[in-house]
Amino acid sequence: MNKKNIPYIITYILEILLVLLGAIFYRQPLLSVLLLLLALLVPLSILLTKHEIDKLEITATPLSLEVMRNGILNVKITTNYKGFVPLLNCVIKLTYENLYYPHPEPQEFIFPAESRKNGEFTLPFSVTKSGMVTLKMTSIDITDYLHLYTFTRPLSINLEIPVTPEDVPAPAYPRKRVAASASDGDPSEVNTVGGERTQDIKQLREYRVGDRLKDVHWKLTAKTDEMMIREFEEIKELYYLIFPVLTKPNLSEDIENVDSTKEDTLQDTLDVFLAIGKDLIREKEPFSVAIYHSEDNTFTMKVVTEEEDLYSALYELYRCPIEGYENAYDTYVGHNPAALNGMIRIEDGKVVEM
């Protein structure tokens, strides 16, 4: 039972008492029949609702795979009800939030389920911030026809819709490239976009911990009784590297009422990142994006050659936790000091001069 049912229960009891008093004082058979009907309607309404609720199926899909900031996100709710008696009081409980602004907003969607029919409804959401929006439908409440009892059924509908930054002009950014080389060391090290090994042997040396077995020179090892390793020449590759550094957003209890007097540099960083990425794609310049995972102190390097790759990198960035991201730059340079002078570092909504 739900608290919302209490006023209806009290009202229904008062109605029964009034009819009962009328039957006692006026001794009319019709009032006795009405009293009996009122008493029978309660279990009938509850049992009928309980029997029909399992015949209702709910699905939800976004009308677009992505939406631009300051736009409208439309979600289509589809109901498939196979029962013979309509369910008039259905309420879906849902939460809506942006992962960068973790303040779930509980909401309700009320609808009727018509007998033997499918229904379609559209829920509009205003989106003001870039990031990954999650929509979770956690339960559905169905109240009987007299509003005396509410049944709750769990729902496990989770939607994830990216909100893209607005199109802004690309600012000036360094046109130097970073030199990358292949690395086959500890897998916990930062991965880089590397050159390919040639077949030319650079030198032979003794085995060191971490060397690959396929690089062992077995013939020389057999002759010397010491494990010898072949070191190959590498082709160095020069490429652009975009390094976005995420900063904590300005938060308030209500995402729609974030203090506008404070600059939200996170949004500016996302705008500039997308603008520079599109600029390099227009110039047919392949580049990489360094994405920091603060939970295990590692990086993912996303190679970008077209806009689909760029948005894939953006969405992966959306899923990264903000906590600890302030250490991203120092961690990367600690692993890759050669990248210090070539990367396009975006922080606080600006390109940082190296």
Coordinates of all heavy atoms in Angstrom, one line a residue, residues 284-326:
K284 N 42.6 16.4 -42.6 CA 43.1 15.0 -42.9 C 44.4 14.7 -42.1 O 45.3 14.0 -42.7 CB 43.3 14.8 -44.4 CG 42.0 15.1 -45.2 CD 42.2 14.7 -46.7 CE 40.9 15.0 -47.5 NZ 39.7 14.4 -47.0
E285 N 44.4 15.2 -40.9 CA 45.6 14.9 -40.0 C 45.2 13.8 -39.0 O 44.4 14.2 -38.1 CB 46.0 16.2 -39.3 CG 46.7 17.2 -40.2 CD 48.1 16.8 -40.6 OE1 48.6 15.7 -40.2 OE2 48.8 17.6 -41.2
P286 N 45.6 12.6 -39.1 CA 45.3 11.6 -38.0 C 45.9 12.1 -36.7 O 47.0 12.7 -36.7 CB 46.0 10.3 -38.5 CG 46.2 10.6 -40.0 CD 46.4 12.0 -40.1
F287 N 45.3 11.8 -35.6 CA 45.8 12.1 -34.3 C 45.3 11.1 -33.3 O 44.5 10.2 -33.5 CB 45.4 13.6 -33.9 CG 43.9 13.7 -33.8 CD1 43.2 13.6 -32.6 CD2 43.1 14.0 -34.9 CE1 41.8 13.8 -32.5 CE2 41.7 14.2 -34.9 CZ 41.1 14.1 -33.6
S288 N 45.9 11.3 -32.1 CA 45.5 10.4 -31.0 C 44.9 11.2 -29.8 O 45.3 12.4 -29.7 CB 46.7 9.6 -30.5 OG 47.1 8.6 -31.5
V289 N 44.1 10.6 -29.0 CA 43.5 11.2 -27.8 C 44.0 10.4 -26.6 O 43.8 9.2 -26.6 CB 42.0 11.3 -27.9 CG1 41.4 12.0 -26.6 CG2 41.6 12.1 -29.1
A290 N 44.6 11.1 -25.6 CA 45.0 10.4 -24.4 C 43.8 10.5 -23.4 O 43.4 11.6 -23.0 CB 46.2 11.0 -23.8
I291 N 43.3 9.4 -22.9 CA 42.2 9.3 -22.0 C 42.7 8.6 -20.7 O 43.2 7.5 -20.7 CB 41.0 8.5 -22.6 CG1 40.5 9.2 -23.9 CG2 39.9 8.4 -21.6 CD1 39.4 8.5 -24.6
Y292 N 42.6 9.4 -19.6 CA 43.1 8.9 -18.3 C 42.1 8.2 -17.5 O 40.9 8.6 -17.4 CB 43.6 10.2 -17.5 CG 44.2 9.8 -16.2 CD1 45.3 8.9 -16.1 CD2 43.8 10.5 -15.0 CE1 45.9 8.7 -14.9 CE2 44.4 10.2 -13.8 CZ 45.4 9.3 -13.7 OH 46.0 9.1 -12.5
H293 N 42.5 7.0 -16.9 CA 41.7 6.2 -16.0 C 42.3 6.4 -14.6 O 43.2 5.7 -14.3 CB 41.6 4.8 -16.5 CG 41.2 4.6 -17.9 ND1 39.8 4.7 -18.3 CD2 41.9 4.4 -19.1 CE1 39.7 4.5 -19.6 NE2 40.9 4.4 -20.1
S294 N 41.7 7.3 -13.8 CA 42.2 7.5 -12.5 C 42.1 6.4 -11.6 O 42.9 6.3 -10.6 CB 41.6 8.8 -11.9 OG 40.2 8.6 -11.8
E295 N 41.2 5.5 -11.8 CA 41.0 4.4 -10.9 C 42.2 3.4 -10.9 O 42.5 2.8 -9.8 CB 39.7 3.6 -11.2 CG 39.6 2.9 -12.5 CD 39.1 3.8 -13.6 OE1 39.1 5.1 -13.5 OE2 38.6 3.3 -14.6
D296 N 42.9 3.2 -12.0 CA 44.0 2.4 -12.0 C 45.3 3.1 -12.6 O 46.3 2.4 -12.9 CB 43.7 1.1 -12.8 CG 43.3 1.4 -14.2 OD1 43.2 2.6 -14.6 OD2 42.9 0.4 -14.9
N297 N 45.2 4.4 -12.7 CA 46.3 5.2 -13.1 C 46.9 4.8 -14.5 O 48.1 4.7 -14.7 CB 47.4 5.1 -12.1 CG 48.2 6.4 -11.8 OD1 47.6 7.5 -12.0 ND2 49.5 6.3 -11.5
T298 N 46.1 4.5 -15.4 CA 46.5 4.1 -16.8 C 45.8 5.0 -17.8 O 44.9 5.8 -17.5 CB 46.1 2.7 -17.1 OG1 44.7 2.5 -17.0 CG2 46.8 1.7 -16.1
F299 N 46.3 4.9 -19.1 CA 45.8 5.7 -20.2 C 45.3 4.8 -21.3 O 45.8 3.7 -21.5 CB 46.8 6.6 -20.8 CG 47.1 7.8 -19.9 CD1 48.0 7.7 -18.9 CD2 46.5 9.0 -20.1 CE1 48.3 8.8 -18.1 CE2 46.8 10.1 -19.3 CZ 47.7 10.0 -18.3
T300 N 44.3 5.2 -22.0 CA 43.8 4.6 -23.2 C 44.2 5.6 -24.4 O 43.8 6.8 -24.2 CB 42.3 4.3 -23.3 OG1 42.1 3.4 -22.2 CG2 41.9 3.7 -24.6
M301 N 44.8 5.1 -25.4 CA 45.1 6.0 -26.5 C 44.2 5.7 -27.7 O 44.1 4.5 -28.2 CB 46.6 5.8 -27.0 CG 47.6 6.0 -25.9 SD 47.6 7.7 -25.2 CE 48.1 8.6 -26.6
K302 N 43.4 6.6 -28.1 CA 42.4 6.4 -29.1 C 42.9 7.1 -30.4 O 43.1 8.3 -30.4 CB 41.0 7.1 -28.8 CG 40.4 6.5 -27.5 CD 39.9 5.1 -27.7 CE 38.6 5.1 -28.5 NZ 38.0 3.7 -28.5
V303 N 43.1 6.3 -31.4 CA 43.6 6.8 -32.7 C 42.4 7.3 -33.5 O 41.4 6.6 -33.6 CB 44.3 5.7 -33.5 CG1 44.7 6.3 -34.9 CG2 45.5 5.2 -32.8
V304 N 42.4 8.6 -34.0 CA 41.3 9.2 -34.6 C 41.7 9.6 -36.1 O 42.7 10.3 -36.3 CB 40.9 10.5 -33.9 CG1 39.7 11.2 -34.6 CG2 40.4 10.1 -32.5
T305 N 40.9 9.1 -37.0 CA 41.1 9.4 -38.4 C 39.8 10.1 -39.0 O 39.9 10.7 -40.1 CB 41.5 8.2 -39.2 OG1 40.5 7.2 -39.1 CG2 42.8 7.7 -38.8
E306 N 38.7 9.9 -38.4 CA 37.4 10.4 -38.9 C 36.5 10.8 -37.7 O 36.8 10.4 -36.5 CB 36.7 9.4 -39.8 CG 36.5 8.1 -39.2 CD 36.0 7.0 -40.2 OE1 36.3 7.2 -41.4 OE2 35.3 6.1 -39.8
E307 N 35.4 11.4 -38.0 CA 34.5 12.0 -36.9 C 34.0 10.8 -36.0 O 33.8 11.0 -34.8 CB 33.4 12.8 -37.5 CG 33.8 14.2 -37.8 CD 32.7 15.2 -37.9 OE1 31.5 14.8 -37.5 OE2 32.9 16.4 -38.3
E308 N 33.7 9.7 -36.6 CA 33.2 8.6 -35.8 C 34.2 8.2 -34.7 O 33.8 7.9 -33.5 CB 32.9 7.4 -36.7 CG 32.2 6.2 -35.9 CD 32.0 5.1 -36.9 OE1 32.1 5.2 -38.1 OE2 31.6 4.0 -36.3
D309 N 35.5 8.2 -35.0 CA 36.5 7.9 -34.0 C 36.5 9.0 -32.9 O 36.7 8.7 -31.8 CB 37.9 7.8 -34.7 CG 37.9 6.7 -35.8 OD1 37.2 5.7 -35.6 OD2 38.6 6.9 -36.8
L310 N 36.4 10.3 -33.4 CA 36.4 11.4 -32.5 C 35.3 11.3 -31.4 O 35.5 11.5 -30.2 CB 36.3 12.7 -33.2 CG 36.3 14.0 -32.4 CD1 37.6 14.1 -31.6 CD2 36.1 15.2 -33.3
Y311 N 34.1 11.0 -31.9 CA 33.0 10.9 -31.0 C 33.1 9.7 -30.1 O 32.7 9.7 -28.9 CB 31.6 10.9 -31.7 CG 31.2 12.3 -32.2 CD1 31.4 12.7 -33.5 CD2 30.6 13.1 -31.3 CE1 31.1 14.0 -33.9 CE2 30.2 14.4 -31.7 CZ 30.5 14.8 -33.0 OH 30.1 16.1 -33.3
S312 N 33.7 8.6 -30.6 CA 33.9 7.4 -29.7 C 34.9 7.8 -28.6 O 34.7 7.4 -27.5 CB 34.5 6.3 -30.6 OG 34.9 5.2 -29.8
A313 N 35.9 8.6 -28.9 CA 36.8 9.0 -27.9 C 36.1 9.9 -26.9 O 36.4 9.9 -25.7 CB 38.0 9.7 -28.5
L314 N 35.3 10.8 -27.4 CA 34.5 11.7 -26.5 C 33.6 11.0 -25.5 O 33.6 11.3 -24.3 CB 33.7 12.7 -27.3 CG 32.8 13.7 -26.6 CD1 33.6 14.7 -25.8 CD2 31.8 14.3 -27.5
Y315 N 32.9 9.9 -26.0 CA 32.0 9.2 -25.2 C 32.8 8.4 -24.1 O 32.3 8.1 -23.0 CB 31.1 8.3 -26.0 CG 30.3 9.0 -27.0 CD1 29.8 8.4 -28.1 CD2 30.0 10.4 -26.8 CE1 29.0 9.1 -29.1 CE2 29.3 11.1 -27.7 CZ 28.8 10.5 -28.8 OH 28.0 11.2 -29.7
E316 N 34.0 7.9 -24.5 CA 34.8 7.2 -23.5 C 35.3 8.2 -22.4 O 35.4 7.8 -21.3 CB 36.0 6.5 -24.2 CG 36.8 5.7 -23.2 CD 37.8 4.7 -23.9 OE1 37.6 4.4 -25.1 OE2 38.8 4.3 -23.3
L317 N 35.6 9.4 -22.9 CA 36.0 10.4 -21.9 C 34.8 10.7 -20.9 O 35.0 10.9 -19.7 CB 36.3 11.7 -22.7 CG 37.2 12.7 -22.0 CD1 38.6 12.2 -21.7 CD2 37.3 14.0 -22.9
Y318 N 33.6 10.7 -21.4 CA 32.4 10.9 -20.6 C 32.3 9.9 -19.4 O 31.8 10.2 -18.4 CB 31.1 10.8 -21.4 CG 30.8 12.0 -22.3 CD1 29.8 12.0 -23.2 CD2 31.5 13.2 -22.1 CE1 29.5 13.1 -24.0 CE2 31.2 14.3 -22.9 CZ 30.2 14.3 -23.8 OH 29.9 15.4 -24.6
R319 N 32.8 8.7 -19.7 CA 32.6 7.6 -18.7 C 33.7 7.6 -17.7 O 33.7 6.8 -16.7 CB 32.5 6.3 -19.4 CG 31.3 6.1 -20.3 CD 31.2 4.7 -20.9 NE 30.0 4.6 -21.8 CZ 30.1 4.8 -23.1 NH1 31.2 5.1 -23.7 NH2 29.0 4.7 -23.8
C320 N 34.8 8.4 -17.9 CA 35.9 8.4 -16.9 C 35.5 9.2 -15.7 O 34.9 10.3 -15.8 CB 37.1 9.1 -17.6 SG 37.8 8.1 -18.9
P321 N 35.8 8.7 -14.5 CA 35.6 9.5 -13.3 C 36.4 10.7 -13.2 O 37.6 10.8 -13.6 CB 35.9 8.5 -12.2 CG 36.9 7.5 -12.8 CD 36.5 7.4 -14.2
I322 N 35.8 11.8 -12.8 CA 36.5 13.1 -12.6 C 37.5 13.1 -11.5 O 38.6 13.7 -11.6 CB 35.5 14.2 -12.4 CG1 34.5 14.4 -13.6 CG2 36.2 15.5 -12.1 CD1 35.2 14.9 -14.8
E323 N 37.1 12.3 -10.4 CA 38.0 12.3 -9.3 C 39.4 11.8 -9.7 O 39.5 10.7 -10.3 CB 37.4 11.4 -8.2 CG 36.2 11.9 -7.6 CD 36.4 13.2 -6.8 OE1 37.5 13.3 -6.3 OE2 35.4 14.0 -6.7
G324 N 40.4 12.5 -9.3 CA 41.8 12.1 -9.6 C 42.3 12.5 -11.0 O 43.5 12.3 -11.3
Y325 N 41.4 13.2 -11.8 CA 41.9 13.5 -13.1 C 42.9 14.7 -13.1 O 43.6 14.9 -14.1 CB 40.7 13.9 -14.0 CG 40.7 13.4 -15.4 CD1 40.1 12.3 -15.8 CD2 41.5 14.1 -16.4 CE1 40.1 11.8 -17.1 CE2 41.6 13.6 -17.7 CZ 40.9 12.4 -18.0 OH 41.0 12.0 -19.3
E326 N 43.0 15.4 -12.0 CA 44.0 16.5 -11.9 C 45.4 15.9 -12.0 O 46.4 16.7 -12.2 CB 43.8 17.3 -10.7 CG 44.0 16.5 -9.4 CD 42.7 15.8 -8.9 OE1 41.7 15.8 -9.6 OE2 42.7 15.3 -7.7

